[in-house]
Amino acid sequence: MHIEAVTPQAITQEQGAPLFFVYDWYRHPADEGDQRSLARGYRISDTTLDEVLEWLYRVPPVDEPGFAAASRELYALVERSDRPGEFAAAPLLTRTL
C-alpha cells in the first residue's frame, strides 16, 4: 500500500486506475452547522479495497490546530462507461469522525 498526500483538487486531475482517494474533512468550531472548512487528501495505490477500508477505520485523522475532525470520505477512480479511457471519481463511503 502506497499513501501520498494530495490536494483536494487532485482527484479530478488524475488519469488511470486503480487509485483510491481519502479526504479528511475538518470543521472550525465557530462554523455553523455542517460546514466543512478544511481538507487533507491522500492518494492510496498498490492496494485493494479491503486494505483501504481497514486503513479508513484504523488510522486517525491528522490533528489540525483550531479545527475538529468532521468526516472521512473514500473515493475510487473508475473508468467512465460513457467515455472509455476517461476516469471519474466514484464516492464509496463517508465516515463521520
Side-chain angles (χ1 to χ4, degrees):
M1 178 184 287
H2 177 74
I3 300 174
E4 176 185 356
V6 295
T7 64
Q9 294 78 21
I11 197 168
T12 60
Q13 299 168 353
E14 286 293 332
Q15 294 296 316
L19 284 175
F20 297 97
F21 292 83
V22 171
Y23 287 107
D24 287 342
W25 289 93
Y26 299 84
R27 180 178 47 81
H28 193 279
D31 287 345
E32 296 285 330
D34 189 34
Q35 198 164 10
R36 297 176 301 182
S37 303
L38 180 72
R40 280 184 179 268
Y42 307 91
R43 178 191 293 117
I44 303 176
S45 57
D46 300 323
T47 189
T48 65
L49 177 58
D50 286 343
E51 288 178 327
V52 174
L53 289 172
E54 181 183 327
W55 181 90
L56 195 78
Y57 283 94
R58 183 174 40 89
V59 177
V62 176
D63 284 339
E64 286 288 351
F67 290 83
S71 64
R72 175 168 274 178
E73 296 178 351
L74 171 62
Y75 296 84
L77 200 68
V78 298
E79 190 167 14
R80 291 177 52 150
S81 59
D82 60 336
R83 295 184 188 168
E86 290 189 24
F87 294 83
L92 297 180
L93 183 68
T94 298
R95 176 187 172 207
T96 302
L97 298 174

